Amino acid sequence: MIALAQCRPYGARLGLAAGAGLVLASGQAPFGLWWLALPALAGLVALVAGAASRQQAALIALFGGAGHFAFALSWIVEPFLIDVETYGWMAPFALVLMAFGLALFWGLAGWLSHVAPGWRRPVAFATALAAVELARGYVLTGFPWALIGHVWVGAWPAQVASLVGPSGLTLLTTLAAALPVALRWRGLGLSAALLAAASGFGLWRLSLPEPAPAGPVLRLVQPNAEQRMKWDPDLAATHFGRLLALSSEGPRPDLVIWPETSVPYLLDRSPGILSEIAAAGRGATVVVGIQRGEGWRFWNSLAVVAPDGRIAGLYDKHHLAPFGEYVPMGDRMFDLFGIRAFAAQEGFGYSAGEGPQVLDLGPGLGKALPLICYEAVFPQDLRTAERPDWILQITNDAWFGTFNGPYQHLAQTRLRAIEMGLPLARVANTGVSALIDARGRVLAELPLGEAGYKDVALPGAFPATPFSRLGELPLLACLFALCGLLFATRGPHRA
């Protein structure tokens, strides 16, 4: 396969690489075609391994990554289409820059892989690709969206995330694709054995007895406020009234949950709304997504409203989306040049909260780890000093459109439940709102684009998983071990 890749004209190989990356993206939600993504990744591995030089390997990997991210992250154009007349022209530039910007990590993996000799090169690329995908979750505040390992969400091997996290799933996938390229039929057997072992572990974990249920009944409230109309002052009362009505219907739950920034008023400047929210809860605690401010600073917050109308808990989002919620270094860099308008302290974007925290919601409801939107894509942020009883995510996925963005976000929250061994309640403005158990299975959901509510019983939690205790350490050990094996001895050339 490597020899065949070497025979093709260089320009054609770049096109093939981009095509392979695009097909690889079919493994991401909502498609989940892992059986198509895996051979596409193997094809990309062969193209990179067959390159004539490091520079060519880097470019081939770069184009493969660009094809992957252009399709997987096509939702990035959606925010620019909210006000298409003003911002629509930016959409194609945003997609191209995002695709090639993230693909630089893959280009680096291609360049590094050519340090290895001969038949080891495909395995070196698999190892380097897993390493740079891990780095992508941390560099410049991180963006671990559309990781290669995400193709397994909903399949048996996804349960391996409880051991080694999403980047461990990525290494599993890259190795499974690279071994047949490196060792042909013997490698195909090793790849099959690797996937069989991952599937076997997944089946075993899924067959474990159900943990004891937590007990409380949660109401997931999905108002379906269209993004382009959400902040219309003339519609604010209508949207707020819809939330109140959905919260006060039917039998009373133990906890009512509203999505991110669902309250169209500022917390500190609209004191009367708390009594209305409490009244809609009819004695139940209500969790709401709301903005708050102090002077010219503003926070994207989650507030816990007690039955008597007081604030019983408050959490400020700390992992903000660069350029979407704040301008990086805006408070310092722009101040050096006298440009105050881009600083969070001057009201441009949000200020970051203090960090992850566990909220005690009181007897019966237990301790919840709150996540606001984007924070659910960072597994490292869930490893708090105090282990919560469950995870609570509020989000507004209306920004992501209706094609693939909301479903990819949901898929990542399913992995967070698996990694931590904790149930997760997810409430989204336009959907998909869902209750997810500690094995990442969706037990109940409100579909995309519908207004309504769903009362669900919170399932139980598993004991702390290896990943919740050790994080990325086992994966780093595997990566170092692979590097040692690749360069310990120089075997014969088998390509």
Side-chain angles (χ1 to χ4, degrees):
M1 189 180 290
I2 295 176
L4 180 63
Q6 289 174 327
C7 294
R8 296 186 180 277
Y10 182 49
R13 279 180 278 159
L14 294 181
L16 285 172
L22 189 147
V23 176
L24 171 58
S26 69
Q28 302 290 325
F31 309 104
L33 305 179
W34 61 264
W35 46 268
L36 189 59
L38 205 58
L41 180 57
L44 180 60
V45 171
L47 287 166
V48 172
S53 67
R54 282 189 183 182
Q55 290 75 19
Q56 286 193 10
L59 274 175
I60 291 171
L62 175 74
F63 273 76
H68 171 73
F69 292 118
F71 184 33
L73 302 181
S74 57
W75 54 263
I76 199 68
V77 305
E78 295 291 343
F80 300 96
L81 303 182
I82 300 297
D83 185 357
V84 66
E85 293 183 358
T86 304
Y87 303 109
W89 66 272
M90 299 181 184
F93 296 99
L95 181 59
V96 171
L97 288 173
M98 174 70 83
F100 276 95
L102 294 176
L104 288 172
F105 286 92
W106 289 31
L108 175 61
W111 189 85
L112 290 171
S113 68
H114 268 235
V115 175
W119 65 272
R120 289 178 172 83
R121 194 166 292 165
V123 179
F125 179 57
T127 305
L129 190 55
V132 298
E133 285 285 87
L134 172 62
R136 187 159 65 84
Y138 291 88
V139 174
L140 298 177
T141 76
F143 188 67
W145 200 293
L147 293 176
I148 294 172
H150 289 168
V151 303
W152 299 111
V153 175
W156 297 332
Q159 301 300 317
V160 174
S162 64
L163 303 176
V164 289
S167 294
L169 282 178
T170 294
L171 179 60
L172 166 73
T173 313
T174 58
L175 285 176
L179 286 170
V181 179
L183 301 173
R184 300 178 184 175
W185 290 109
R186 186 174 60 172
L188 185 62
L190 290 172
S191 177
L194 186 63
L195 294 177
S199 297
F201 174 80
L203 276 170
W204 170 78
R205 192 168 188 268
L206 289 168
S207 69
L208 292 175
E210 294 292 332
V217 174
L218 316 179
R219 173 164 295 187
L220 316 181
V221 178
Q222 184 171 296
N224 195 36
E226 188 178 351
Q227 189 59 41
R228 67 180 72 248
M229 300 178 181
K230 183 179 178 184
W231 300 112
D232 188 330
D234 297 329
L235 295 175
T238 301
H239 293 155
F240 188 57
R242 185 185 303 169
L243 287 159
L244 294 174
L246 291 171
S247 301
S248 58
E249 292 179 10
R252 181 179 70 83
D254 298 303
L255 180 69
V256 179
I257 309 170
W258 293 7
E260 176 192 19
T261 60
S262 53
V263 180
Y265 310 107
L266 287 172
L267 177 62
D268 52 315
R269 300 178 190 178
S270 309
I273 63 171
L274 295 178
S275 59
E276 294 185 68
I277 294 171
R282 299 169 296 162
T285 299
V286 183
V287 169
V288 301
I290 191 168
Q291 298 174 97
R292 70 180 190 89
E294 293 178 7
W296 283 101
R297 281 194 177 275
F298 295 90
W299 288 266
N300 185 355
S301 304
L302 176 150
V304 181
V305 182
D308 59 3
R310 63 184 174 83
I311 298 296
L314 189 65
Y315 167 72
D316 297 321
K317 184 177 183 181
H318 73 279
H319 208 142
L320 304 176
F323 301 104
E325 293 179 306
Y326 80 107
V327 174
M329 298 296 291
D331 286 348
R332 298 180 182 179
M333 183 175 66
F334 290 104
D335 188 41
L336 293 175
F337 299 96
I339 306 175
R340 305 284 295 174
F342 293 100
Q345 64 188 15
E346 293 298 318
F348 186 88
Y350 293 119
S351 293
E354 294 182 358
Q357 67 181 91
V358 175
L359 291 177
D360 190 343
L361 300 179
L365 295 174
K367 296 179 179 181
L369 175 67
L371 304 171
I372 300 180
C373 192
Y374 183 64
E375 292 178 323
V377 309
F378 297 96
Q380 63 267 32
D381 289 348
L382 276 69
R383 296 179 57 242
T384 53
E386 180 182 14
R387 180 170 168 81
D389 299 310
W390 57 290
I391 304 167
L392 168 59
Q393 185 206 16
I394 60 173
T395 184
N396 176 25
D397 287 0
W399 286 109
F400 301 149
T402 59
F403 173 51
N404 55 0
Y407 298 106
Q408 290 174 5
H409 202 192
L410 171 64
Q412 291 178 80
T413 60
R414 294 177 66 182
L415 272 184
R416 301 296 87 82
I418 295 171
E419 293 155 8
M420 300 298 294
L422 295 174
L424 188 151
R426 182 179 200 268
V427 183
N429 171 31
T430 56
V432 178
S433 299
L435 181 71
I436 301 166
D437 73 3
R439 285 176 270 217
R441 298 178 297 188
V442 176
L443 304 182
E445 68 177 53
L446 286 162
L448 193 67
E450 293 186 12
Y453 71 86
K454 189 171 286 288
D455 290 341
V456 293
L458 185 66
F462 279 131
T465 64
F467 181 76
S468 69
R469 297 193 302 267
L470 302 174
E472 312 287 5
L473 289 178
L475 172 62
L476 291 173
C478 288
L479 291 173
F480 279 115
L482 280 169
C483 289
L485 289 173
L486 284 168
F487 299 107
T489 60
R490 290 178 174 265
H493 191 291
R494 302 185 186 177

